[in-house]
Amino acid sequence: PGAGSHELEIEKYPRVILVATSSPCNARCPHCPCTIMPSIRDTEDAFIKFGYFKKLIDESAPHGTFIRMSGYGEPLLHPQFFELMDYAHNRGANVSLITNGSLLDKEKIERLMKLELDAIEISVDSHREEIYKNIRVGLNFNKVRQNILDLVDARNRLDKKTCIMVS
């Protein structure tokens, strides 16, 4: 390389890993692979195994890799969701959650705030109820809206730094 040129630096470890934690979902969104291919929901391995997740966190946390908890389904349906998140938090992993927001009751919100996630993204797809109900089939617009407001309130009340996004 000549003066002033820069060599391309290849990353030795991924900067972001999208973790599909759950295949089942409590919605039937027409654009989602979970709806289009129902066999995804009913797979034998519907939830990420704790051992596999632990290995992923152990390998990625030291690299500062950003772990995005998502899935074909709703991550909060994973029966060990908070155990997974506790493990990631205790290992110092950078973690965010992508959810449809329907299961964010006050208890789950409080537990999420204690984990000090980097970000929580709620997939809403429309601010208008009549559009929302056609996209997020099976979910309640007003309930999800209130859950988001409760989430923001808890974050502010507890003085946490979690970035809350609505997409």
Side-chain angles (χ1 to χ4, degrees):
S5 67
H6 300 282
E7 288 187 42
L8 178 63
E9 185 177 320
I10 304 297
E11 295 287 334
K12 294 186 190 307
Y13 203 86
R15 297 180 112 193
V16 178
I17 297 176
L18 184 63
V19 180
T21 57
S22 174
S23 295
C25 191
N26 58 334
R28 298 291 184 264
C29 308
H31 61 278
C32 182
C34 196
T35 300
I36 297 166
M37 299 177 290
S39 60
I40 290 173
R41 291 176 187 266
D42 304 323
T43 180
E44 184 177 305
D45 294 318
F47 302 106
I48 192 170
K49 304 290 187 236
F50 191 85
Y52 179 75
F53 182 79
K54 181 179 173 186
K55 182 176 179 0
L56 175 75
I57 294 300
D58 290 345
E59 290 180 9
S60 61
H63 298 281
T65 299
F66 195 66
I67 306 296
R68 295 186 77 199
M69 305 289 282
S70 184
Y72 286 112
E74 170 56 42
L76 290 169
L77 288 173
H78 193 297
Q80 293 180 294
F81 177 80
F82 283 101
E83 289 85 351
L84 298 173
M85 299 305 285
D86 283 336
Y87 187 83
H89 175 75
N90 292 334
R91 295 286 295 160
N94 300 314
V95 180
S96 72
L97 168 65
I98 303 170
T99 176
N100 63 33
S102 65
L103 301 175
L104 289 174
D105 60 31
K106 291 184 189 285
E107 178 188 340
K108 286 183 181 80
I109 288 171
E110 293 292 321
R111 289 183 77 180
L112 287 171
M113 287 299 112
K114 287 179 185 170
L115 291 169
E116 300 187 35
L117 301 180
D118 294 286
I120 300 173
E121 181 178 340
I122 302 99
S123 301
V124 176
D125 298 311
S126 179
H127 67 286
R128 294 169 59 198
E129 184 175 6
E130 61 274 11
I131 296 172
Y132 175 90
K133 69 181 181 182
N134 291 320
I135 297 172
R136 295 285 164 183
V137 177
L139 302 183
N140 181 300
F141 177 82
N142 292 315
K143 180 179 183 210
V144 170
R145 181 181 181 281
Q146 187 59 54
N147 292 350
I148 294 167
L149 294 172
D150 291 344
L151 181 65
V152 171
D153 178 63
R155 190 245 350 242
N156 295 344
R157 177 176 39 81
L158 298 169
D159 196 29
K160 299 295 183 179
K161 305 286 187 248
T162 301
C163 176
I164 297 172
M165 300 173 279
V166 176
S167 62

